[in-house]
Amino acid sequence: MTELFTNFFDELFMHKIISLVALCTVTDTVFGFMRAVKQRKFNSCFGINGAIRKISMLLSLVFLVLFDSAVHIDLISFIPKDLLKFTSITKIGTTEFFGFLYISYEIVSILKNMSLCGLPTNKIEKWVRDFLSKYTSELPRT
């Protein structure tokens, strides 16, 4: 039983997607804090709503690691080929699939917070917007 928990935590802490989601959530929280200081009020990234959203994302990934270890699903066919050429991933379970979605969501939120803090984000924002617009129609036009 102890070996099962040890293997699970080893896999969890070495999971690159979970590390990237955690990095994105921390970065978004930092820029959300800077925005809250500038605007002198809490916002969707730095406040109770943002904390609940970020913790929920990370906890769902923990449960998805458990799910992936029990049910072996490969969702690589749902990921566009252009996106896969940036990675060396050959199999995508539910953890990686939802991790990519969370990372995309957090990147858009980071750029929004950077822009609202007054930081110059034009070139980065254009590249991310062009990249994400290939795969989703839910990005705002302005």
Side-chain angles (χ1 to χ4, degrees):
M1 188 69 163
T2 324
E3 185 178 321
L4 179 67
F5 285 117
T6 305
N7 290 341
F8 171 71
F9 285 115
D10 286 344
E11 183 179 345
L12 187 64
F13 291 124
M14 298 304 290
H15 208 287
K16 291 179 183 179
I17 294 295
I18 294 175
S19 299
L20 287 173
V21 172
L23 177 67
C24 287
T25 56
V26 168
T27 304
D28 189 38
T29 302
V30 168
F31 284 114
F33 172 74
M34 290 171 46
R35 183 176 132 208
V37 168
K38 181 180 180 185
Q39 296 175 341
R40 293 186 175 100
K41 64 179 181 178
F42 289 110
N43 55 52
S44 63
C45 298
F46 188 76
I48 192 67
N49 291 335
I52 290 170
R53 180 177 43 87
K54 291 172 188 321
I55 290 169
S56 298
M57 283 192 304
L58 293 170
L59 283 177
S60 71
L61 290 176
V62 170
F63 288 114
L64 287 171
V65 168
L66 284 171
F67 178 79
D68 283 341
S69 66
V71 180
H72 302 285
I73 297 175
D74 191 1
L75 300 170
I76 201 161
S77 61
F78 289 99
I79 304 297
K81 301 288 186 248
D82 293 343
L83 185 60
L84 288 174
K85 72 181 178 182
F86 290 108
T87 67
S88 60
I89 296 175
T90 57
K91 181 180 184 248
I92 297 200
T94 56
T95 307
E96 291 84 8
F97 185 77
F98 282 97
F100 280 135
L101 295 176
Y102 293 158
I103 290 168
S104 300
Y105 178 81
E106 288 296 304
I107 287 173
V108 171
S109 183
I110 290 167
L111 289 171
K112 174 189 76 174
N113 285 324
M114 288 174 69
S115 180
L116 291 173
C117 285
L119 298 171
T121 60
N122 293 342
K123 289 182 182 181
I124 299 170
E125 186 174 358
K126 182 183 177 340
W127 181 84
V128 171
R129 188 173 293 280
D130 291 344
F131 184 78
L132 292 177
S133 67
K134 291 179 186 177
Y135 309 113
T136 182
S137 60
E138 297 182 20
L139 288 174
R141 298 284 179 225
T142 58

